[in-house]
Amino acid sequence: MAERPTIYDLSHRELATTLHRWGQPAFRADQIWHWLYRSLVGDWADMGNVPAALRARLADAFDLLPLIPITEQVSANGQTRKVLYRLADGQTLESVLMLYQDRRTACISTQVGCAMGCTFCATGQGGLVRHLSAGEIVAQVIALAREIRAAEIEQAQAQDRRAILEVHPVSNIVLMGMGEPLANWQATWKAIETLTDDRGYNLGARQITLSTVGLIPGIRRLIEAQVPINLAISLHAPNDSLRDQLAPVNRRYPLERLLQAARLYIERLGRRVTFEYALAKDVNDSDDHAQRTAELLRGLLCHVNLIPMNPTPGCPYEPSSRAQMIRFQEVLVKERIQTTVRLSRGVDIEAGCGQLRGRYLESQG
Ligand code: SAH
Ligand code: SF4
């Protein structure tokens, strides 16, 4: 944990309480919140209407830049950028920005490392180092948003600059970076609450997707929270013995119970669930695997995303061929399960979870 909290660790209420304790008028919390989440300032000095003495006190108590970029990779087409950040305690994490025609999606991390040990995942191989704090999760979005905003302002004509300040530079968030978000529930949930707070960044819950390896207690919490974020479940196999191999946490939360939890989520929230399925050649990609997956998901309000397994250092799997991915899709579609084939984005920049960090750590010995 960082020695000094970041300002992004504080909810609006916590900030207001702190400022009240410091003898500040009640409107200050809104003012500062606005600088943080609408103006996206990266320097306390830019908080123009905040008295200098208060800015100094805030700067003393809270870190405004908890993430320092150390390396960045940009895909050949310039639309995917992956940034490796250093945290206050020297740990590192990855965030990815994906620019599409209609949205700008940030793929962010919730932990340094991960304890789940999936055998195909670069992050899983090193185990869990530590949870991220809520502020470290929020700060990834703000850091990327700040970069987009700066680039847009630089390019825009003077008269368009005001309009730029009205839009969300990062329009969508996927919690699909390093770590298992439901294993770091408290910080993840607080970060979601902060980012959706309408006095601040005001992101719509529907613009957020949380991806889980399938921690059932966490899925239950999501059901209880009744907030309409999107849920993605990393399935990767249609039977327990194969899933045990790929995602060992399946031994604790086997498929039948996982599907039960997904069904409950769909019923209670009235929302579709996405199942992620990474196809590895001759491992989980046969026609028979497709047929069994269809049987498993039959009747569920869901969508399946097929992605090629991305080979990581030390990972024993190879990606399926494009042709086999399409065959797999056809089997599911024939069973009336909505299925998309995606070529994973940014393979040329090691966009697979945890790969950039892995290489960086290696280079540091
Ligand atoms: N821990 C969560 C979210 C982070 S991983 C989860 O497992 O869902 C984000 C996604 O990347 C998951 O669907 C995961 O299965 C997938 N992934 C990890 N390593 C991969 C690899 N080498 N190839 C393809 N997908 C991978
Ligand atoms: Fe953790 Fe997700 Fe990687 Fe599995 S795939 S080790 S749950 S980050």
Side-chain angles (χ1 to χ4, degrees):
M1 190 60 61
E3 283 139 38
R4 196 169 54 140
T6 146
I7 189 74
Y8 303 107
D9 276 322
L10 275 62
S11 64
H12 186 281
R13 181 199 290 262
E14 287 164 344
L15 177 63
T17 307
T18 302
L19 292 168
H20 179 72
R21 238 188 12 243
W22 291 357
Q24 292 293 325
F27 62 83
R28 287 275 184 244
D30 276 353
Q31 228 172 28
I32 292 166
W33 205 248
H34 195 279
W35 285 116
L36 293 172
Y37 294 105
R38 298 278 171 94
S39 309
L40 308 174
V41 296
D43 188 341
W44 297 105
D46 291 340
M47 297 191 174
N49 55 7
V50 177
L54 176 56
R55 289 196 313 248
R57 190 160 186 192
L58 284 164
D60 205 40
F62 302 109
D63 192 353
L64 181 61
L65 296 171
L67 307 176
I68 306 297
I70 43 178
T71 52
E72 177 164 313
Q73 293 187 338
V74 182
S75 66
N77 65 10
Q79 286 170 344
T80 306
R81 288 158 73 170
K82 179 168 187 168
V83 190
L84 184 74
Y85 291 106
R86 191 197 327 269
L87 298 160
D89 64 352
Q91 292 298 338
T92 50
L93 67 76
E94 294 176 6
S95 321
V96 182
L97 179 66
M98 294 166 284
L99 305 175
Y100 300 91
Q101 206 89 50
D102 58 338
R103 62 195 194 281
R104 286 154 300 199
T105 303
C107 175
I108 60 178
S109 297
T110 53
Q111 297 179 311
V112 179
C114 181
M116 300 298 136
C118 300
T119 47
F120 51 86
C121 171
T123 305
Q125 296 319 300
L128 177 68
V129 179
R130 70 165 170 90
H131 291 315
L132 294 180
S133 73
E136 288 169 330
I137 299 172
V138 169
Q140 295 171 63
V141 178
I142 300 303
L144 294 171
R146 215 180 263 145
E147 269 194 54
I148 299 176
R149 167 100 34 101
E152 283 180 342
I153 287 187
E154 201 180 320
Q155 284 160 13
Q157 305 294 332
Q159 65 270 24
D160 296 333
R161 290 194 179 156
R162 186 172 285 276
I164 286 173
L165 298 180
E166 299 301 318
V167 297
H168 287 109
V170 167
S171 63
N172 295 70
I173 293 173
V174 292
L175 299 166
M176 289 190 186
M178 295 164 41
E180 168 50 48
L182 295 182
N184 184 15
W185 168 262
Q186 267 186 321
T188 298
W189 197 250
K190 188 174 185 187
I192 290 173
E193 285 182 327
T194 295
L195 290 163
T196 52
D197 189 312
D198 61 6
R199 294 161 295 196
Y201 197 78
N202 193 23
L203 193 72
R206 286 164 207 274
Q207 267 55 258
I208 299 174
T209 300
L210 183 151
S211 175
T212 178
V213 68
L215 303 190
I216 294 174
I219 296 175
R220 293 226 183 86
R221 282 171 159 159
L222 279 177
I223 295 170
E224 281 158 24
Q226 288 283 315
V227 174
I229 63 167
N230 306 297
L231 174 63
I233 296 176
S234 300
L235 187 65
H236 306 321
N239 63 64
D240 282 321
S241 62
L242 184 53
R243 198 164 188 272
D244 285 352
Q245 224 180 75
L246 296 169
V249 72
N250 188 70
R251 296 198 189 107
R252 234 164 100 206
Y253 303 115
L255 278 171
E256 195 185 323
R257 288 179 50 209
L258 177 57
L259 268 293
Q260 230 170 37
R263 203 167 289 122
L264 193 66
Y265 179 91
I266 294 164
E267 268 170 36
R268 294 280 169 82
L269 276 100
R271 294 181 66 76
R272 184 176 85 157
V273 167
T274 297
F275 290 96
E276 304 280 342
Y277 198 116
L279 289 161
K281 186 167 184 271
D282 301 331
V283 175
N284 62 354
D285 69 342
S286 70
D287 295 357
D288 186 52
H289 289 129
Q291 193 56 47
R292 284 172 196 276
T293 302
E295 283 158 22
L296 197 66
L297 302 182
R298 188 171 285 145
L300 276 186
L301 181 63
C302 71
H303 182 102
V304 175
N305 262 333
L306 299 176
I307 45 177
M309 184 66 81
N310 191 7
T312 57
C315 154
Y317 313 110
E318 283 174 55
S320 302
S321 68
R322 181 96 182 122
Q324 187 54 36
M325 290 186 72
I326 289 170
R327 277 176 71 101
F328 201 102
Q329 179 188 32
E330 281 167 0
V331 173
L332 291 175
V333 169
K334 211 187 278 159
E335 299 287 342
R336 292 200 275 193
I337 294 172
Q338 259 190 47
T339 308
T340 313
V341 172
R342 285 189 305 173
L343 285 176
S344 66
R345 255 194 163 227
V347 172
D348 61 327
I349 58 162
E350 301 171 291
C353 170
Q355 289 185 54
L356 182 57
R357 174 171 176 270
R359 221 184 46 171
Y360 173 77
L361 292 180
E362 246 167 51
S363 75
Q364 302 292 299

